[in-house]
Amino acid sequence: MKFKNWFLLVLMFLAAGINAQIKNPVKFKFTINELGDNQYEAVLNATMESGWHIYSKDIPEDTGIPTDYKVSGKNIELIGKFTEVGKKHEEFSEAFGGKIIFYSNTAGFKQKFKLKDGTKPGDVVAEITYQTCDDRVCLAPNTLEFNKQVTPKGAAEEVKTDEKTTAKDSLQPVVDTLGNVVQPAVPTAETQKLDPKNLKIESINFQKPLTDCGTGSSKISENYWTYLLLGFIGGLIALLTPCVFPMIPLTVSFFTKGNKNPAKGKRDALIYGFFILLIFVLLSVPFHLIDGIAGNIFNEISTNVWLNIAFFIIFIFFAGSFFGYYDITLPSSIANKSSKAEEAGGIIGIFFMALTLVIVSFSCTGPILGSLLGSAITGSANVPMLLTFALAGFGLAWAIVFGLLALFPQALQSLPKSGGWMNTVKVVLGFVELALALKFLSKADLVSKTFLIKRELFIGIWIVIAIGLAIYLFGLIKFPHDDKKPKISVTRKILGVLGIGFVVYLVQGLIPSDRPKLQLLSGILPPLNVSYFHDEKDGILGMHPEHDFFTAIELAKKEGKPILIDFTGYGCENCRKMEEFVWSEPDILPILQNDVVLASLYVDDKEELPEDQKTKIDLGDGQVKKVKTIGDRWSLFQQVNFNNNSQPHYVLLTPDGKVINTPVSGYMEKEKFKKFLECGVNYYKQNK
C-alpha cells in the first residue's frame, strides 16, 4: 500500500477513535447531461479502490448480485433501457461453477430520458443497487439514491424538501474524512420501526469480547512460496529425467577436474548454477511485459473455453512425449548457436554453457514447465509473479544440485547410475500430464456451461489413469523406451501400491454422501453442484441454519448453546468457498452441527420488509441508502452491532448476546477457523 494511503488510514483511526471496519470502496458521482431536443442522460459514474469490483448487469444467474440502475421522477419519461460503460472483465468462479462478469477501477451507468412537459422542471431520482467484492470478501449489497433537478431553459427551478429523507426519519451514520461510514448511530425511537425487536443489541460489544483466544481475521495472499516449492519439486523431478541426469556428473567433472585450479573450478561451477537459476527466472519476464500491456489477459485466458481446450490438447501432447512416442525439441540451430557461444570463455562462456543445458534438456523440462505455466495461469490473477517464483524454484533446484556437487565432488560417486529407471520417471510424468489435462477440459466444460463432465465422471477418469499407472509400475504394460524385460524394483512396487491407494481414495468420491469427499482435490475437481447426486434442497452440508437472528437467540437459550452468526450472501463467492472447502472438513462440520446454533443471515435477501419497517439512511453528498428488504435489515444489523459490512463474517455469541471472542472475516485456512470455533465453544462450555 502506498505511503499516502497508510497516512490517511492513520488519520482515520485518530479521528474516529475506533478500529473502523466498515468498508466503502466505491465512490459515485451523479450528473445529468443535456443531449438536445428535450433529451437528457442521467449518468452515474463509479470509481473503485484497487482490488475491488462490482458486477455487471449481465452477470449469469446465481453467480452474484447484478447491478441494477433505475431512473424515475416527476415529469420524467425514460428512453430505452440503461446501459453500462467501461471495460468488462470475465473470470471463471470455482465456487459458482461459471463465469462472473464485473468492472474494476471504473464503471459508468447511463439512462436516457426526456421531460414530458418541456417547459417545466423535472425531478430526477436515480437508484443503484450493487455489490462490491474483492478476492477475500464481498460487501453487503447496497442501494443508493441520488436526486437532481432538470430545469429547461426559460423554466423556473422548483425548490422543495423531500420529507422522506429528513434527519428525523433517517439513520445518521458517522462519516470519516474519506466518506466511509465508520460508526452507524444507534437507532432512535423514530428509526426503531425498522424492526420491532430493535436491531441494536445493547449487550453486544465486539471490541470487548469475553476472551481473546482464537482472534484475528484471515487474509488471502498470492501463495508465492507454494509456487516456489512446486517449482523446486518440479526441478528435482526434471533432474531425474534422461535429458538431464546423465549431464550432471559430466558437467560437474568438467569444472572440478578439467580445471588446473580446483578452487577456480568450484567457483566456476557455482557461477554455472547461478546462471541456470537466472535463465529460468528470465523466462518469466515476457509474462510481466504481457501483463503490463494487457492487464487482464491472464484472467481472460483462464476463462476462455477454446484456450482451455488448447491446454488440454497440449497436455495430452506432452503425455505422449513422456510415454516415448515422440520427442519435443527446440530447433537444433538454437542449441548450435548457444554451444558455439561457449567458446567466448570466462563468465560469458559459462553463461552460454548454462543456456545450452536448458535448451538441450527441453524435451524433458518443457512439459514440466508447461504444467507450471498452466497451473499459474488458471490458478490466480497475479500470473507473472507466480510464474517468476515457480521458475525460480525450478532453477534453484538445479543450481543447488550443481553447486553442492561442485563443492563436494566426491558425492558424485554416490549418484545412481543411468538406466531404465529414468524412463520410468518420464512415463510416470506422462500419466500425471494426462490427469492434469482433464482439469483444463473440465474448466472449458464449466465455463461453457455444458456441464458434461460431472464430478463423478471426472473422478472415474482419474481412477482409470491411476489404475493404468499402477499396472505400468508393476510391469504389466510397457512403453516404447522401456526395457524388454524390465526389473521391477522395490521403489516401483511401493509406488504401484501408492497408486492403488490413490484409487481407493478416489472411489470415495463416487459414493453419494451429505459431506463433500476428496478434500485434498478441492479446486481441481468440478464443484459439488456439478454432480449426478447433488441436490441444493438438502441444505448446507445437510444443515438447516436459522435465517433470523432473534429466532436463533430463542433456540440458543432453549438448547444452551452459543450462536454462530454467519453474515453471508447468496451471491457471495467467498462464502461458498468457506462452506465447501472449510465447513465440510471432518473436524469442523461436527462443531457446526452439534455445538452451536447456526444463524446464517443473508445480507442480499431481496424479500421486501413490511412498509412500516422500511426506512432510509442519509449518507451525505446527496446519497441515500434505502433499507427496504430483509437483506438490508441484516446488513444494517451487522454494521450497527459489529461495525463491519463484509461477508463472510463470523461472530460467536452467548444466548444472552455477549460476544465470546473477536469475530473473524473472509475466506481463511481451516486451522484458523477451527481455532476460532474451538476457542469460543470451549470458553462457553466452561463458563456457562
Side-chain angles (χ1 to χ4, degrees), residues 456-468:
E456 293 78 19
L457 177 60
F458 188 109
I459 294 170
I461 295 174
W462 267 36
I463 288 175
V464 172
I465 293 173
I467 291 175

Side-chain angles (χ1 to χ4, degrees), residues 102-374:
F102 59 91
Y103 294 94
S104 58
N105 299 322
T106 61
F109 305 91
K110 298 182 178 182
Q111 174 65 64
K112 290 184 178 181
F113 67 92
K114 65 180 181 180
L115 298 177
K116 294 179 180 178
D117 185 343
T119 63
K120 296 181 179 180
D123 296 318
V124 181
V125 179
E127 179 182 298
I128 187 167
T129 300
Y130 67 98
Q131 183 174 38
T132 317
C133 297
D134 67 0
D135 63 350
R136 189 172 69 92
V137 297
C138 287
L139 306 185
N142 206 4
T143 299
L144 297 178
E145 186 178 284
F146 304 82
N147 299 273
K148 278 187 179 294
Q149 190 177 75
V150 177
T151 305
K153 294 179 181 180
E157 182 176 353
E158 295 182 6
V159 180
K160 58 188 298 182
T161 301
D162 186 354
E163 296 180 356
K164 293 183 179 179
T165 58
T166 58
K168 180 179 178 180
D169 294 319
S170 301
L171 182 61
Q172 299 289 342
V174 176
V175 180
D176 63 27
T177 56
L178 296 183
N180 296 320
V181 183
V182 296
Q183 190 180 10
V186 177
T188 62
E190 289 84 3
T191 61
Q192 283 184 7
K193 66 180 183 179
L194 180 65
D195 191 289
K197 298 176 181 178
N198 190 354
L199 287 183
K200 175 60 183 175
I201 310 300
E202 297 299 335
S203 60
I204 292 178
N205 188 343
F206 73 93
Q207 293 178 314
K208 294 182 179 180
L210 299 176
T211 180
D212 60 357
C213 65
T215 60
S217 60
S218 176
K219 183 177 181 179
I220 288 181
S221 63
E222 298 288 0
N223 209 341
Y224 299 138
W225 302 111
T226 298
Y227 274 81
L228 182 73
L229 177 61
L230 290 174
F232 187 82
I233 294 172
L236 292 178
I237 294 174
L239 285 170
L240 301 177
T241 60
C243 313
V244 185
F245 189 81
M247 302 179 69
I248 296 176
L250 294 175
T251 306
V252 174
S253 297
F254 172 82
F255 287 110
T256 57
K257 296 180 180 180
N259 199 307
K260 295 180 180 180
N261 186 340
K264 182 178 181 299
K266 291 183 178 181
R267 185 201 68 186
D268 289 347
L270 292 175
I271 294 174
Y272 179 72
F274 168 76
F275 279 143
I276 291 175
L277 170 61
L278 177 63
I279 289 169
F280 279 111
V281 171
L282 290 176
L283 291 176
S284 69
V285 171
F287 296 95
H288 287 272
L289 299 177
I290 293 172
D291 190 52
I293 297 171
N296 203 44
I297 188 171
F298 294 112
N299 281 336
E300 294 173 2
I301 289 174
S302 69
T303 59
N304 185 283
V305 174
W306 298 110
L307 284 175
N308 274 279
I309 292 176
F311 270 118
F312 166 74
I313 296 172
I314 289 171
F315 271 58
I316 296 293
F317 187 65
F318 285 160
S321 174
F322 275 144
F323 288 147
Y325 293 113
Y326 43 80
D327 289 326
I328 303 174
T329 59
L330 293 174
S332 58
S333 59
I334 298 177
N336 293 336
K337 289 180 180 179
S338 178
S339 180
K340 187 175 181 180
E342 296 174 18
E343 300 174 2
I347 293 180
I348 295 177
I350 295 174
F351 173 82
F352 280 101
M353 284 186 65
L355 182 60
T356 302
L357 172 68
V358 173
I359 293 171
V360 299
S361 63
F362 182 79
S363 62
C364 291
T365 60
I368 298 175
L369 292 175
S371 301
L372 290 173
L373 170 64

